[in-house]
Amino acid sequence: SGTPSSSKSATPAPTVSLDALPRDEQLAELVKAVRATGGNVAQAAARLGISRPKAYRLLEGTNLEDLRGKTGP
């Protein structure tokens, strides 16, 4: 007792390397993670075990405002 539990992890490790997936599936997983983090690309990248710059490269051409749930005028 009194010993902190080290079995708890704030960010679960990815079960499959994102690099092992085709690009369209990588993007789909990243989009899900971005939505799950409320639009936070850095947190989504960390959840997937990729760098933030790689996440942004995958998201090129994707409207981030749509992913973040914001709408235009």
Side-chain angles (χ1 to χ4, degrees), residues 8-56:
K8 293 183 181 178
S9 176
T11 304
T15 55
V16 175
S17 171
L18 208 60
D19 291 327
L21 300 174
R23 190 178 189 289
D24 60 330
E25 290 181 31
Q26 290 179 20
L27 178 59
E29 289 300 314
L30 180 55
V31 165
K32 283 194 287 189
V34 169
R35 287 184 174 141
T37 59
N40 189 316
V41 176
Q43 284 182 5
R47 284 185 179 192
L48 295 173
I50 63 172
S51 69
R52 187 177 52 84
K54 178 174 179 141
Y56 277 106

